[in-house]
Amino acid sequence: MDLKLFGEVFVTLLVITDPPGMMPIFLALTGPLPARDRHRAAWQAVALALGVIVIFAVAGQTLLDYLHVDLPALQAAGGLLLVLVALELLTGKADDPSKQVTSNIALVPLGTPLLAGPGAIVATMLFVQQADGIGDFSAIAAAILAVMVTVWIVLRFSGGIVKVLRPGGIEVLTRIAGLLLAAIAVQLIADAVAAFVRQYVNMA
């Protein structure tokens, strides 16, 4: 196994998934839930993210070509999804635990597009395209798995922060997370628009 490639993939995906940055959003979405549901949401989100990244690593370009979808379109779709979630956080609609379904929170937006978003998908696809031989593929697979385990550990043990923050702190954190999420969403959409413009300018 190529340890240098392992390090490159691990660091790249770790920076993109940003576990410390994910924590406030995770706590904002799952803070009102019981600890058991919050723990389940953590592993469900990580499991989905791992599945999505592996699928796109193996057959991502083929799938996008078959659907006639460009990567910027995928990026814009992820941004629009995050806008909806950010609005819920900012307006307080995500605060009522009776209206939240743990599996839904874990799948969208935690699993995708936050963890397995356009950045992680594109980076993984590029690493796979540049790989040469079983050693490189093994390094990429091991790095993806190591990143997902790291993210799970951070999310799984973030419950201690909930006890410190109390309900009032969680509410403040929810608003801040909503603002951050809205900013991430706008950046994703802006990057997608810029990529489309560059693409059509080059074609012209």
Side-chain angles (χ1 to χ4, degrees), residues 100-164:
Q100 295 183 342
V101 181
T102 309
S103 59
N104 288 351
I105 295 170
L107 303 183
V108 178
L110 291 176
T112 182
L114 283 176
L115 289 178
I121 289 171
V122 172
T124 305
M125 288 171 60
L126 289 176
F127 277 121
V128 170
Q129 289 173 6
Q130 296 167 5
D132 182 24
I134 191 66
D136 286 356
F137 289 118
S138 299
I140 294 171
I144 292 172
L145 192 59
V147 168
M148 289 297 111
V149 169
T150 303
V151 172
W152 176 80
I153 290 172
V154 171
L155 298 184
R156 170 63 176 78
F157 294 102
S158 62
I161 299 175
V162 174
K163 297 176 183 177
V164 175

Short mmCIF file of all heavy atoms in Angstrom, two decimals, residues 100-164:
data_model
loop_
_atom_site.label_atom_id
_atom_site.label_comp_id
_atom_site.label_asym_id
_atom_site.label_seq_id
_atom_site.Cartn_x
_atom_site.Cartn_y
_atom_site.Cartn_z
N GLN A 100 -38.94 15.80 14.18
CA GLN A 100 -37.71 15.31 13.58
C GLN A 100 -37.69 13.78 13.54
O GLN A 100 -38.09 13.12 14.49
CB GLN A 100 -36.49 15.80 14.37
CG GLN A 100 -36.33 17.31 14.31
CD GLN A 100 -35.09 17.77 15.04
OE1 GLN A 100 -34.53 17.05 15.86
NE2 GLN A 100 -34.64 18.97 14.74
N VAL A 101 -37.25 13.29 12.43
CA VAL A 101 -37.07 11.84 12.29
C VAL A 101 -35.58 11.58 12.18
O VAL A 101 -34.92 12.09 11.28
CB VAL A 101 -37.80 11.30 11.03
CG1 VAL A 101 -37.61 9.81 10.92
CG2 VAL A 101 -39.28 11.67 11.10
N THR A 102 -35.04 10.80 13.11
CA THR A 102 -33.59 10.64 13.20
C THR A 102 -32.97 10.18 11.89
O THR A 102 -31.95 10.70 11.46
CB THR A 102 -33.25 9.61 14.31
OG1 THR A 102 -33.95 9.98 15.49
CG2 THR A 102 -31.78 9.59 14.57
N SER A 103 -33.58 9.19 11.24
CA SER A 103 -33.00 8.66 10.01
C SER A 103 -32.96 9.73 8.93
O SER A 103 -32.00 9.81 8.16
CB SER A 103 -33.79 7.44 9.53
OG SER A 103 -35.14 7.78 9.29
N ASN A 104 -34.00 10.59 8.87
CA ASN A 104 -34.01 11.65 7.86
C ASN A 104 -32.88 12.65 8.10
O ASN A 104 -32.23 13.11 7.17
CB ASN A 104 -35.36 12.39 7.89
CG ASN A 104 -36.48 11.53 7.32
OD1 ASN A 104 -36.23 10.49 6.76
ND2 ASN A 104 -37.70 11.99 7.48
N ILE A 105 -32.68 13.02 9.37
CA ILE A 105 -31.60 13.95 9.72
C ILE A 105 -30.26 13.33 9.34
O ILE A 105 -29.38 14.00 8.81
CB ILE A 105 -31.62 14.26 11.23
CG1 ILE A 105 -32.89 15.02 11.60
CG2 ILE A 105 -30.40 15.08 11.63
CD1 ILE A 105 -33.09 15.14 13.09
N ALA A 106 -30.10 12.06 9.63
CA ALA A 106 -28.83 11.38 9.36
C ALA A 106 -28.55 11.31 7.86
O ALA A 106 -27.40 11.47 7.43
CB ALA A 106 -28.86 9.98 9.96
N LEU A 107 -29.60 11.07 7.08
CA LEU A 107 -29.41 10.92 5.64
C LEU A 107 -29.23 12.27 4.96
O LEU A 107 -28.31 12.47 4.18
CB LEU A 107 -30.60 10.17 5.03
CG LEU A 107 -30.88 8.78 5.62
CD1 LEU A 107 -32.03 8.11 4.87
CD2 LEU A 107 -29.64 7.90 5.57
N VAL A 108 -30.15 13.20 5.24
CA VAL A 108 -30.10 14.54 4.65
C VAL A 108 -30.34 15.54 5.77
O VAL A 108 -31.36 15.45 6.45
CB VAL A 108 -31.20 14.71 3.56
CG1 VAL A 108 -31.15 16.13 3.00
CG2 VAL A 108 -31.04 13.69 2.45
N PRO A 109 -29.46 16.45 6.07
CA PRO A 109 -28.27 16.81 5.27
C PRO A 109 -26.96 16.23 5.79
O PRO A 109 -25.92 16.49 5.21
CB PRO A 109 -28.25 18.32 5.42
CG PRO A 109 -28.66 18.53 6.85
CD PRO A 109 -29.70 17.46 7.12
N LEU A 110 -26.96 15.45 6.89
CA LEU A 110 -25.69 15.03 7.48
C LEU A 110 -24.90 14.10 6.56
O LEU A 110 -23.74 14.37 6.23
CB LEU A 110 -25.95 14.34 8.83
CG LEU A 110 -26.46 15.24 9.97
CD1 LEU A 110 -26.75 14.42 11.21
CD2 LEU A 110 -25.43 16.32 10.28
N GLY A 111 -25.53 12.98 6.17
CA GLY A 111 -24.82 12.02 5.33
C GLY A 111 -24.44 12.63 4.00
O GLY A 111 -23.30 12.53 3.54
N THR A 112 -25.41 13.24 3.37
CA THR A 112 -25.21 13.96 2.11
C THR A 112 -26.17 15.14 2.08
O THR A 112 -27.32 14.98 2.49
CB THR A 112 -25.44 13.02 0.90
OG1 THR A 112 -25.20 13.73 -0.31
CG2 THR A 112 -26.86 12.47 0.87
N PRO A 113 -25.75 16.33 1.74
CA PRO A 113 -24.48 16.67 1.09
C PRO A 113 -23.38 17.19 2.00
O PRO A 113 -22.39 17.70 1.50
CB PRO A 113 -24.92 17.76 0.12
CG PRO A 113 -25.98 18.50 0.87
CD PRO A 113 -26.70 17.45 1.69
N LEU A 114 -23.53 17.11 3.34
CA LEU A 114 -22.50 17.67 4.21
C LEU A 114 -21.23 16.80 4.24
O LEU A 114 -20.14 17.29 4.00
CB LEU A 114 -23.05 17.86 5.63
CG LEU A 114 -23.97 19.09 5.80
CD1 LEU A 114 -24.54 19.12 7.21
CD2 LEU A 114 -23.21 20.38 5.51
N LEU A 115 -21.39 15.51 4.58
CA LEU A 115 -20.22 14.63 4.63
C LEU A 115 -19.82 14.18 3.23
O LEU A 115 -18.68 14.36 2.80
CB LEU A 115 -20.51 13.43 5.53
CG LEU A 115 -20.58 13.72 7.04
CD1 LEU A 115 -20.94 12.45 7.81
CD2 LEU A 115 -19.26 14.29 7.55
N ALA A 116 -20.76 13.55 2.52
CA ALA A 116 -20.49 13.10 1.15
C ALA A 116 -21.03 14.16 0.20
O ALA A 116 -22.02 13.95 -0.50
CB ALA A 116 -21.15 11.75 0.89
N GLY A 117 -20.38 15.30 0.20
CA GLY A 117 -20.80 16.40 -0.67
C GLY A 117 -20.01 16.42 -1.97
O GLY A 117 -19.18 15.55 -2.22
N PRO A 118 -20.26 17.44 -2.79
CA PRO A 118 -19.56 17.54 -4.08
C PRO A 118 -18.04 17.54 -3.93
O PRO A 118 -17.34 16.93 -4.72
CB PRO A 118 -20.06 18.89 -4.63
CG PRO A 118 -21.38 19.09 -3.98
CD PRO A 118 -21.26 18.51 -2.61
N GLY A 119 -17.53 18.22 -2.88
CA GLY A 119 -16.08 18.28 -2.69
C GLY A 119 -15.47 16.92 -2.45
O GLY A 119 -14.48 16.54 -3.09
N ALA A 120 -16.06 16.16 -1.52
CA ALA A 120 -15.54 14.82 -1.22
C ALA A 120 -15.69 13.88 -2.41
O ALA A 120 -14.79 13.08 -2.70
CB ALA A 120 -16.28 14.25 -0.01
N ILE A 121 -16.82 13.99 -3.10
CA ILE A 121 -17.07 13.11 -4.25
C ILE A 121 -16.06 13.39 -5.37
O ILE A 121 -15.44 12.47 -5.92
CB ILE A 121 -18.51 13.31 -4.76
CG1 ILE A 121 -19.50 12.70 -3.77
CG2 ILE A 121 -18.69 12.68 -6.15
CD1 ILE A 121 -20.95 13.01 -4.07
N VAL A 122 -15.88 14.68 -5.70
CA VAL A 122 -14.96 15.04 -6.80
C VAL A 122 -13.53 14.65 -6.44
O VAL A 122 -12.80 14.09 -7.27
CB VAL A 122 -15.06 16.55 -7.09
CG1 VAL A 122 -13.97 16.96 -8.08
CG2 VAL A 122 -16.43 16.89 -7.66
N ALA A 123 -13.12 14.94 -5.20
CA ALA A 123 -11.75 14.62 -4.77
C ALA A 123 -11.50 13.12 -4.88
O ALA A 123 -10.45 12.68 -5.38
CB ALA A 123 -11.52 15.10 -3.34
N THR A 124 -12.46 12.31 -4.42
CA THR A 124 -12.31 10.86 -4.47
C THR A 124 -12.23 10.37 -5.91
O THR A 124 -11.39 9.52 -6.25
CB THR A 124 -13.49 10.17 -3.76
OG1 THR A 124 -13.59 10.67 -2.43
CG2 THR A 124 -13.29 8.67 -3.71
N MET A 125 -13.10 10.91 -6.77
CA MET A 125 -13.10 10.50 -8.18
C MET A 125 -11.76 10.82 -8.83
O MET A 125 -11.23 10.03 -9.63
CB MET A 125 -14.25 11.18 -8.92
CG MET A 125 -15.62 10.62 -8.57
SD MET A 125 -17.00 11.60 -9.25
CE MET A 125 -16.68 11.49 -11.01
N LEU A 126 -11.17 11.98 -8.50
CA LEU A 126 -9.89 12.36 -9.08
C LEU A 126 -8.76 11.44 -8.61
O LEU A 126 -7.92 11.02 -9.41
CB LEU A 126 -9.56 13.82 -8.71
CG LEU A 126 -10.40 14.88 -9.39
CD1 LEU A 126 -10.04 16.27 -8.87
CD2 LEU A 126 -10.21 14.84 -10.91
N PHE A 127 -8.77 11.10 -7.32
CA PHE A 127 -7.75 10.18 -6.79
C PHE A 127 -7.85 8.82 -7.47
O PHE A 127 -6.83 8.20 -7.81
CB PHE A 127 -7.90 10.02 -5.28
CG PHE A 127 -7.26 11.12 -4.48
CD1 PHE A 127 -8.01 11.90 -3.62
CD2 PHE A 127 -5.89 11.38 -4.59
CE1 PHE A 127 -7.42 12.92 -2.88
CE2 PHE A 127 -5.28 12.39 -3.85
CZ PHE A 127 -6.05 13.16 -3.01
N VAL A 128 -9.07 8.33 -7.66
CA VAL A 128 -9.28 7.02 -8.29
C VAL A 128 -8.81 7.04 -9.74
O VAL A 128 -8.18 6.09 -10.23
CB VAL A 128 -10.76 6.60 -8.20
CG1 VAL A 128 -11.04 5.38 -9.06
CG2 VAL A 128 -11.14 6.31 -6.75
N GLN A 129 -9.10 8.14 -10.46
CA GLN A 129 -8.69 8.25 -11.86
C GLN A 129 -7.18 8.26 -12.01
O GLN A 129 -6.64 7.79 -13.01
CB GLN A 129 -9.30 9.52 -12.48
CG GLN A 129 -10.81 9.43 -12.71
CD GLN A 129 -11.41 10.75 -13.16
OE1 GLN A 129 -10.69 11.71 -13.42
NE2 GLN A 129 -12.73 10.80 -13.24
N GLN A 130 -6.48 8.80 -11.00
CA GLN A 130 -5.02 8.88 -11.06
C GLN A 130 -4.33 7.63 -10.50
O GLN A 130 -3.12 7.49 -10.62
CB GLN A 130 -4.55 10.11 -10.28
CG GLN A 130 -5.02 11.43 -10.89
CD GLN A 130 -4.81 12.62 -9.96
OE1 GLN A 130 -4.22 12.47 -8.88
NE2 GLN A 130 -5.29 13.79 -10.37
N ALA A 131 -5.11 6.75 -9.88
CA ALA A 131 -4.54 5.56 -9.24
C ALA A 131 -4.01 4.58 -10.28
O ALA A 131 -4.53 4.48 -11.39
CB ALA A 131 -5.59 4.88 -8.37
N ASP A 132 -2.96 3.86 -9.87
CA ASP A 132 -2.35 2.89 -10.78
C ASP A 132 -1.97 1.64 -9.98
O ASP A 132 -0.99 1.64 -9.24
CB ASP A 132 -1.12 3.50 -11.45
CG ASP A 132 -0.48 2.55 -12.44
OD1 ASP A 132 -1.19 1.65 -12.93
OD2 ASP A 132 0.73 2.69 -12.71
N GLY A 133 -2.76 0.60 -10.13
CA GLY A 133 -2.44 -0.65 -9.45
C GLY A 133 -3.19 -0.85 -8.15
O GLY A 133 -3.80 0.07 -7.60
N ILE A 134 -3.14 -2.09 -7.66
CA ILE A 134 -3.89 -2.48 -6.47
C ILE A 134 -3.41 -1.74 -5.23
O ILE A 134 -4.19 -1.45 -4.31
CB ILE A 134 -3.80 -4.01 -6.26
CG1 ILE A 134 -4.78 -4.47 -5.19
CG2 ILE A 134 -2.37 -4.41 -5.93
CD1 ILE A 134 -6.23 -4.32 -5.56
N GLY A 135 -2.11 -1.41 -5.18
CA GLY A 135 -1.57 -0.70 -4.03
C GLY A 135 -2.20 0.67 -3.86
O GLY A 135 -2.55 1.08 -2.75
N ASP A 136 -2.37 1.39 -4.98
CA ASP A 136 -2.98 2.73 -4.93
C ASP A 136 -4.44 2.64 -4.52
O ASP A 136 -4.93 3.43 -3.70
CB ASP A 136 -2.85 3.41 -6.29
CG ASP A 136 -1.44 3.89 -6.57
OD1 ASP A 136 -0.58 3.75 -5.67
OD2 ASP A 136 -1.18 4.40 -7.67
N PHE A 137 -5.15 1.68 -5.10
CA PHE A 137 -6.57 1.52 -4.76
C PHE A 137 -6.76 1.14 -3.30
O PHE A 137 -7.69 1.60 -2.63
CB PHE A 137 -7.22 0.48 -5.67
CG PHE A 137 -7.40 0.93 -7.10
CD1 PHE A 137 -6.76 0.28 -8.13
CD2 PHE A 137 -8.20 2.03 -7.40
CE1 PHE A 137 -6.90 0.70 -9.45
CE2 PHE A 137 -8.35 2.47 -8.70
CZ PHE A 137 -7.70 1.81 -9.74
N SER A 138 -5.84 0.31 -2.79
CA SER A 138 -5.91 -0.07 -1.38
C SER A 138 -5.68 1.14 -0.47
O SER A 138 -6.34 1.30 0.55
CB SER A 138 -4.86 -1.14 -1.07
OG SER A 138 -5.10 -2.31 -1.83
N ALA A 139 -4.73 1.98 -0.86
CA ALA A 139 -4.43 3.18 -0.07
C ALA A 139 -5.63 4.13 -0.04
O ALA A 139 -5.97 4.69 1.01
CB ALA A 139 -3.21 3.90 -0.65
N ILE A 140 -6.27 4.30 -1.19
CA ILE A 140 -7.44 5.18 -1.27
C ILE A 140 -8.58 4.63 -0.41
O ILE A 140 -9.22 5.37 0.35
CB ILE A 140 -7.89 5.34 -2.74
CG1 ILE A 140 -6.82 6.10 -3.53
CG2 ILE A 140 -9.24 6.07 -2.82
CD1 ILE A 140 -7.07 6.12 -5.03
N ALA A 141 -8.83 3.32 -0.53
CA ALA A 141 -9.91 2.70 0.25
C ALA A 141 -9.66 2.82 1.74
O ALA A 141 -10.55 3.15 2.53
CB ALA A 141 -10.05 1.23 -0.15
N ALA A 142 -8.40 2.57 2.16
CA ALA A 142 -8.06 2.65 3.58
C ALA A 142 -8.20 4.08 4.09
O ALA A 142 -8.66 4.31 5.22
CB ALA A 142 -6.63 2.14 3.80
N ALA A 143 -7.81 5.05 3.29
CA ALA A 143 -7.90 6.46 3.69
C ALA A 143 -9.35 6.89 3.84
O ALA A 143 -9.70 7.60 4.80
CB ALA A 143 -7.19 7.34 2.66
N ILE A 144 -10.21 6.48 2.90
CA ILE A 144 -11.64 6.83 2.99
C ILE A 144 -12.23 6.25 4.28
O ILE A 144 -12.96 6.94 5.00
CB ILE A 144 -12.40 6.29 1.76
CG1 ILE A 144 -11.96 7.03 0.50
CG2 ILE A 144 -13.91 6.42 1.96
CD1 ILE A 144 -12.51 6.43 -0.78
N LEU A 145 -11.90 4.99 4.55
CA LEU A 145 -12.42 4.34 5.76
C LEU A 145 -11.91 5.03 7.02
O LEU A 145 -12.67 5.26 7.97
CB LEU A 145 -12.00 2.87 5.76
CG LEU A 145 -12.68 1.95 6.79
CD1 LEU A 145 -14.18 1.96 6.60
CD2 LEU A 145 -12.12 0.55 6.70
N ALA A 146 -10.64 5.41 7.03
CA ALA A 146 -10.04 6.07 8.19
C ALA A 146 -10.70 7.43 8.45
O ALA A 146 -10.96 7.81 9.60
CB ALA A 146 -8.54 6.25 7.98
N VAL A 147 -11.00 8.16 7.38
CA VAL A 147 -11.67 9.47 7.51
C VAL A 147 -13.07 9.30 8.10
O VAL A 147 -13.48 10.04 9.00
CB VAL A 147 -11.74 10.19 6.15
CG1 VAL A 147 -12.67 11.39 6.22
CG2 VAL A 147 -10.35 10.63 5.72
N MET A 148 -13.80 8.31 7.60
CA MET A 148 -15.16 8.09 8.08
C MET A 148 -15.17 7.67 9.55
O MET A 148 -16.05 8.08 10.32
CB MET A 148 -15.86 7.03 7.22
CG MET A 148 -16.19 7.49 5.81
SD MET A 148 -17.37 8.87 5.78
CE MET A 148 -16.31 10.19 5.20
N VAL A 149 -14.18 6.86 9.95
CA VAL A 149 -14.08 6.46 11.36
C VAL A 149 -13.78 7.68 12.23
O VAL A 149 -14.36 7.85 13.31
CB VAL A 149 -12.97 5.39 11.55
CG1 VAL A 149 -12.68 5.18 13.03
CG2 VAL A 149 -13.40 4.07 10.91
N THR A 150 -12.90 8.56 11.75
CA THR A 150 -12.58 9.78 12.48
C THR A 150 -13.81 10.66 12.65
O THR A 150 -14.08 11.19 13.74
CB THR A 150 -11.48 10.57 11.74
OG1 THR A 150 -10.33 9.74 11.57
CG2 THR A 150 -11.09 11.82 12.51
N VAL A 151 -14.57 10.83 11.57
CA VAL A 151 -15.79 11.64 11.63
C VAL A 151 -16.78 11.03 12.62
O VAL A 151 -17.40 11.74 13.42
CB VAL A 151 -16.44 11.75 10.22
CG1 VAL A 151 -17.80 12.42 10.32
CG2 VAL A 151 -15.53 12.53 9.28
N TRP A 152 -16.93 9.71 12.57
CA TRP A 152 -17.87 9.04 13.48
C TRP A 152 -17.48 9.26 14.94
O TRP A 152 -18.32 9.52 15.79
CB TRP A 152 -17.93 7.54 13.19
CG TRP A 152 -18.81 6.82 14.17
CD1 TRP A 152 -20.17 6.75 14.16
CD2 TRP A 152 -18.38 6.10 15.33
NE1 TRP A 152 -20.62 6.01 15.23
CE2 TRP A 152 -19.55 5.61 15.97
CE3 TRP A 152 -17.14 5.81 15.89
CZ2 TRP A 152 -19.48 4.85 17.14
CZ3 TRP A 152 -17.08 5.07 17.06
CH2 TRP A 152 -18.25 4.59 17.66
N ILE A 153 -16.18 9.16 15.24
CA ILE A 153 -15.71 9.36 16.61
C ILE A 153 -16.06 10.78 17.10
O ILE A 153 -16.55 10.96 18.21
CB ILE A 153 -14.19 9.11 16.70
CG1 ILE A 153 -13.89 7.61 16.51
CG2 ILE A 153 -13.64 9.59 18.04
CD1 ILE A 153 -12.42 7.29 16.40
N VAL A 154 -15.82 11.76 16.23
CA VAL A 154 -16.11 13.16 16.61
C VAL A 154 -17.59 13.35 16.86
O VAL A 154 -17.99 13.95 17.87
CB VAL A 154 -15.62 14.12 15.50
CG1 VAL A 154 -16.11 15.54 15.78
CG2 VAL A 154 -14.10 14.10 15.41
N LEU A 155 -18.44 12.83 15.96
CA LEU A 155 -19.89 13.00 16.13
C LEU A 155 -20.42 12.18 17.29
O LEU A 155 -21.29 12.64 18.04
CB LEU A 155 -20.62 12.60 14.83
CG LEU A 155 -20.28 13.43 13.58
CD1 LEU A 155 -21.15 12.97 12.42
CD2 LEU A 155 -20.46 14.91 13.83
N ARG A 156 -19.91 10.97 17.44
CA ARG A 156 -20.40 10.06 18.49
C ARG A 156 -20.17 10.63 19.88
O ARG A 156 -21.02 10.48 20.77
CB ARG A 156 -19.69 8.71 18.34
CG ARG A 156 -19.90 7.73 19.48
CD ARG A 156 -21.35 7.31 19.62
NE ARG A 156 -21.52 6.32 20.66
CZ ARG A 156 -21.54 6.57 21.97
NH1 ARG A 156 -21.38 7.82 22.39
NH2 ARG A 156 -21.72 5.59 22.84
N PHE A 157 -19.05 11.28 20.09
CA PHE A 157 -18.72 11.77 21.42
C PHE A 157 -18.95 13.27 21.58
O PHE A 157 -18.43 13.90 22.50
CB PHE A 157 -17.27 11.42 21.76
CG PHE A 157 -17.05 9.94 21.89
CD1 PHE A 157 -16.46 9.22 20.86
CD2 PHE A 157 -17.48 9.25 23.02
CE1 PHE A 157 -16.27 7.84 20.96
CE2 PHE A 157 -17.29 7.88 23.13
CZ PHE A 157 -16.69 7.17 22.10
N SER A 158 -19.75 13.85 20.66
CA SER A 158 -20.09 15.26 20.78
C SER A 158 -21.22 15.49 21.77
O SER A 158 -21.54 16.62 22.11
CB SER A 158 -20.49 15.83 19.41
OG SER A 158 -21.65 15.15 18.92
N GLY A 159 -21.82 14.38 22.27
CA GLY A 159 -22.93 14.49 23.21
C GLY A 159 -22.57 15.20 24.50
O GLY A 159 -23.42 15.85 25.12
N GLY A 160 -21.31 15.10 24.90
CA GLY A 160 -20.88 15.79 26.12
C GLY A 160 -21.06 17.29 26.01
O GLY A 160 -21.34 17.97 27.02
N ILE A 161 -20.92 17.82 24.80
CA ILE A 161 -21.09 19.25 24.60
C ILE A 161 -22.54 19.66 24.83
O ILE A 161 -22.82 20.75 25.33
CB ILE A 161 -20.63 19.64 23.18
CG1 ILE A 161 -19.15 19.30 23.00
CG2 ILE A 161 -20.87 21.11 22.91
CD1 ILE A 161 -18.62 19.52 21.62
N VAL A 162 -23.48 18.77 24.48
CA VAL A 162 -24.91 19.05 24.68
C VAL A 162 -25.20 19.27 26.16
O VAL A 162 -25.96 20.18 26.54
CB VAL A 162 -25.77 17.90 24.12
CG1 VAL A 162 -27.25 18.12 24.44
CG2 VAL A 162 -25.57 17.77 22.63
N LYS A 163 -24.59 18.45 27.01
CA LYS A 163 -24.82 18.58 28.45
C LYS A 163 -24.29 19.91 28.98
O LYS A 163 -24.86 20.50 29.91
CB LYS A 163 -24.15 17.42 29.18
CG LYS A 163 -24.72 16.05 28.82
CD LYS A 163 -23.94 14.94 29.50
CE LYS A 163 -24.47 13.57 29.08
NZ LYS A 163 -23.68 12.46 29.67
N VAL A 164 -23.20 20.39 28.39
CA VAL A 164 -22.61 21.64 28.84
C VAL A 164 -23.45 22.84 28.36
O VAL A 164 -23.66 23.80 29.10
CB VAL A 164 -21.16 21.77 28.32
CG1 VAL A 164 -20.58 23.13 28.67
CG2 VAL A 164 -20.30 20.66 28.90
#
